[in-house]
Amino acid sequence: MGFWNRLIGTSGAERIVDARAAGTPSPRRWGAAEEHNMMCCDPRVAAQALLLAVNNAAEHGFEPKREITVDDVDFDYYNGADGFRLEHLNALLRLTEDDSTPLFPRTVHFDPECVESNDTYSRLLEQIAEAAGTADRFSEIHCDLHFGPFFHNNPVGELDYLLDGEAVHHDIAVEGEWADPEVIRRLFQDATPEGHTWVATGDFAVHVWVPEERAEAVARIFASEDTAAEARLAGRLYEERHRHRIIDQE
């Protein structure tokens, strides 16, 4: 995790990642057949906030694959409609279908603890390129992390592929389940469609490709929403510590 600490340390999202590592809940997603809990805020207020959020997202080029309803959003997680407004774009882009695929096109949800097999980076590249719509630019993808009894003899993995017919090679730092952030950066960059820019949230969890002329504005929104998320999580962690302190005193 060392190199992820260095990466996130430059993004201002340390608290978000720390909270996730500590087990802070993620936004709840109800399946189509599940009964929903009572919403923490007035559904009419939530619906209005959602409508404004969807319209704002559309202005920046984000169009969902289907209609989004208040049942799709875990308003409790964001402390109600007001909190949702502060993180609305990030919240929308994190929404998924029942099969866990992102609800918005050209969007990838990334978990840095994803290294599970020798071909992890091959599968990651295919997933990223498919989401970006640039899968046809890649061929002859091969990855080997040298997992096995002789791993200590060769602890550096390799990823090779052809990008538009040109050979690309990556040496991969292998650190348990944690992906190599520099290689991940390159994969997202290489998969970027023409005329678009790759933009990621500060915690590296949501990645999108947006038209070049909108990239700066989207990056500013992500930065602002990262700050709001840090404040929300800091408050939640404080409440948890305070609750445990009261229980201990009892």
Side-chain angles (χ1 to χ4, degrees):
M1 185 178 176
F3 38 48
W4 276 99
N5 284 335
R6 294 194 295 274
L7 171 68
I8 299 300
T10 65
S11 71
E14 298 94 332
R15 290 192 188 92
I16 302 176
V17 177
D18 287 345
R20 183 193 300 163
T24 300
S26 298
R28 171 73 189 274
R29 188 193 187 286
W30 287 275
E34 289 186 88
E35 183 176 347
H36 299 186
N37 296 332
M38 183 69 69
M39 192 178 297
C40 69
C41 57
D42 187 329
R44 294 168 297 182
V45 176
Q48 183 180 39
L50 178 59
L51 176 61
L52 293 173
V54 171
N55 288 342
N56 181 264
E59 290 177 2
H60 290 89
F62 297 104
E63 297 283 353
K65 300 173 185 176
R66 62 165 175 81
E67 181 182 5
I68 299 174
T69 71
V70 292
D71 290 335
D72 290 309
V73 180
D74 185 357
F75 284 92
D76 289 0
Y77 178 79
Y78 299 102
N79 298 325
D82 289 339
F84 168 76
R85 290 188 185 97
L86 296 176
E87 303 178 53
H88 68 275
L89 184 56
N90 202 322
L92 291 178
L93 292 174
R94 290 175 189 265
L95 296 178
T96 62
E97 298 281 22
D98 286 339
D99 62 359
S100 297
T101 57
L103 192 52
F104 284 80
R106 286 187 170 163
T107 302
V108 171
H109 298 162
F110 178 70
D111 178 2
E113 292 183 271
C114 62
V115 179
E116 300 175 343
S117 62
N118 274 322
D119 65 344
T120 290
Y121 288 85
S122 296
R123 291 185 286 106
L124 276 175
L125 177 55
E126 291 169 356
Q127 174 193 355
I128 291 169
E130 183 68 28
T134 55
D136 59 341
R137 297 179 56 199
F138 296 88
S139 61
E140 298 185 23
I141 303 171
H142 175 73
C143 173
D144 190 353
L145 301 183
H146 306 293
F147 287 166
F150 302 107
F151 172 75
H152 62 280
N153 294 329
N154 198 357
V156 178
E158 295 98 25
L159 173 65
D160 295 279
Y161 51 86
L162 296 181
L163 173 60
D164 296 328
E166 297 291 329
V168 178
H169 172 81
H170 297 290
D171 288 326
I172 302 171
V174 181
E175 190 171 319
E177 296 179 345
W178 293 88
D180 184 331
E182 296 307 321
V183 175
I184 296 301
R185 281 181 184 274
R186 180 65 183 275
L187 298 187
F188 279 105
Q189 290 168 348
D190 283 355
T192 300
E194 184 177 356
H196 289 67
T197 299
W198 160 59
V199 185
T201 54
D203 62 355
F204 229 57
V206 177
H207 302 256
V208 295
W209 292 273
V210 297
E212 292 174 346
E213 64 273 14
R214 292 176 173 148
E216 187 175 344
V218 171
R220 283 199 302 268
I221 293 173
F222 280 173
S224 174
E225 294 188 350
D226 283 340
T227 300
E230 289 180 49
R232 171 177 51 78
L233 289 170
R236 182 166 295 167
L237 291 173
Y238 173 81
E239 291 175 359
E240 288 293 327
R241 287 194 295 269
H242 186 64
R243 184 180 302 113
H244 288 308
R245 190 177 298 116
I246 292 176
I247 293 174
D248 292 340
Q249 290 174 350
E250 293 176 349

